[in-house]
Amino acid sequence: MATPRSVGVKASLALMLLVTITLVAHTVNHHSVTGVIDRNHTKHHPRVRQHGSVETQAQLANVEPPNQDTKEEKNECDSKDMDNFFTAIPYSFVSMATHLDQPIQTEQFLNCCRALSEMFDKLSASAFSPIKSGFNTNIQLINDKYLTDKKRYSTLEAILKEEKGRNYHTSKGSASTELLWLTRSLIFVSELFDNIEDKPTFYAAITAAYEASVKQYHNFLVRSLFSVVGKAAPSKEVALEGFTINKGDTGKPGYTGCLYDSMYTYNDALSDVCSNIEDMFQKEADITIMHRPPS
């Protein structure tokens, strides 16, 4: 049986390794900003699911939903008692995704990223603190650029174009490089949301998300360390509890289903925003943020 001391030592070791991953990955992979353009690049979109409201499933199937069942399902999930991290988040990618026909506003994007970063504390403040730190460092450096001239850098596109014009966009510390890595982190989070329900454990969901996103940009050492520290992740039950507003909410009838519905709605929007930024990098700088196999 593990003693409290041995458990504490293992937890400390895992946290130290996680810090190492964050630092090593960010240092090593600044050399991977540019590269050969993937002409078979496909946008990141979570797969279609059967889970969800009757109305959502009917729309995906291109048929008329049964009105009575749809109303009951909608009323249940719209109740304040069913609120969760994704419905109560102060700045949501869901709002941003409604006007992606226009350049992404820098301030709105950063606000959404800051709000999302609070998720790491809800899942496990100690285990995810290094990841949140790196996430917030990206946000801060982009914000520093924005604050030098809010009008000039009001959009992410304006920042990339300005730095591209000076051939500075691939330099370490440039706002464009920070945006590239922040977007990769967002894609990892999006993949995580897409895997939580189906995978048997939260660790399995994290692993699947890692393999589908940023693993390709890490060397053997970082990949090996990730497999070790990922096991320090909370259980699936604890992770879901982290997305609730009040402790014990997951025990409410229908709550978990509504939580997943909210997660997928949020994730669809997050995915669209990431795809928009990926397209911007390809168009303006011939940089592929995330290489993927042909669909």
Side-chain angles (χ1 to χ4, degrees):
M1 179 180 297
T3 65
R5 178 179 176 79
S6 66
V7 172
V9 170
K10 290 179 180 179
S12 297
L13 178 59
L15 186 57
M16 289 174 64
L17 288 174
L18 190 55
V19 173
T20 303
I21 281 183
T22 304
L23 296 178
V24 173
H26 198 64
T27 300
V28 170
N29 291 302
H30 266 297
H31 297 287
S32 302
V33 173
T34 58
V36 178
I37 296 303
D38 182 3
R39 296 304 177 188
N40 292 314
H41 165 77
T42 55
K43 293 184 178 182
H44 168 70
H45 282 290
R47 57 190 172 80
V48 175
R49 295 175 175 274
Q50 293 304 311
H51 182 88
S53 66
V54 175
E55 181 179 23
T56 300
Q57 293 182 33
Q59 289 174 345
L60 293 174
N62 198 28
V63 298
E64 288 297 323
N67 293 331
Q68 184 176 359
D69 290 345
T70 298
K71 183 176 180 180
E72 291 177 355
E73 178 75 13
K74 183 176 181 181
N75 286 342
E76 178 186 22
C77 291
D78 281 351
S79 169
K80 286 294 182 182
D81 289 339
M82 295 297 177
D83 274 348
N84 54 67
F85 175 81
F86 302 100
T87 59
I89 194 168
Y91 299 97
S92 176
F93 286 106
V94 174
S95 298
M96 178 182 293
T98 61
H99 48 267
L100 288 177
D101 56 324
Q102 303 171 15
I104 293 177
Q105 296 295 306
T106 303
E107 185 172 7
Q108 183 183 20
F109 172 75
L110 294 178
N111 283 338
C112 289
C113 290
R114 291 189 189 98
L116 176 59
S117 73
E118 297 303 314
M119 171 195 72
F120 298 121
D121 286 340
K122 292 180 177 296
L123 294 178
S124 176
S126 58
F128 287 99
S129 60
I131 297 178
K132 181 181 178 181
S133 177
F135 197 83
N136 285 340
T137 295
N138 295 144
I139 294 172
Q140 184 59 52
L141 291 176
I142 297 170
N143 190 61
D144 289 345
K145 175 77 172 184
Y146 168 63
L147 292 179
T148 62
D149 193 331
K150 289 185 177 181
K151 184 176 181 180
R152 183 179 185 183
Y153 302 127
S154 62
T155 66
L156 299 181
E157 182 178 335
I159 292 176
L160 178 58
K161 283 184 174 180
E162 188 276 330
E163 293 188 338
K164 175 66 165 57
R166 295 188 289 118
N167 198 30
Y168 181 66
H169 61 300
T170 60
S171 300
K172 183 177 180 179
S174 69
S176 298
T177 298
E178 300 301 327
L179 176 58
L180 178 146
W181 279 101
L182 179 57
T183 304
R184 284 176 176 170
S185 296
L186 290 173
I187 293 173
F188 164 75
V189 172
S190 181
E191 290 286 352
L192 175 61
F193 290 157
D194 196 40
N195 278 280
I196 292 177
E197 182 178 17
D198 291 344
K199 300 301 180 183
T201 65
F202 192 56
Y203 170 66
I206 292 176
T207 300
Y210 178 71
E211 291 177 349
S213 56
V214 295
K215 179 179 179 180
Q216 61 187 298
Y217 301 104
H218 292 167
N219 60 22
F220 177 77
L221 173 61
V222 177
R223 293 178 182 182
S224 299
L225 290 175
F226 182 89
S227 67
V228 175
V229 301
K231 295 177 182 178
S235 67
K236 188 172 182 177
E237 291 73 20
V238 171
L240 290 178
E241 189 71 32
F243 292 125
T244 63
I245 300 299
N246 303 301
K247 186 176 181 179
D249 276 354
T250 51
K252 296 176 181 177
Y255 185 90
T256 301
C258 291
L259 171 60
Y260 278 125
D261 279 350
S262 301
M263 181 186 295
Y264 298 139
T265 297
Y266 180 92
N267 197 34
D268 284 346
L270 172 59
S271 175
D272 286 343
V273 171
C274 288
S275 292
N276 185 284
I277 297 174
E278 289 185 86
D279 289 345
M280 179 186 72
F281 266 82
Q282 282 200 305
K283 177 183 177 182
E284 302 297 339
D286 264 9
I287 293 176
T288 298
I289 289 181
M290 187 69 64
H291 289 83
R292 301 183 182 84
S295 57

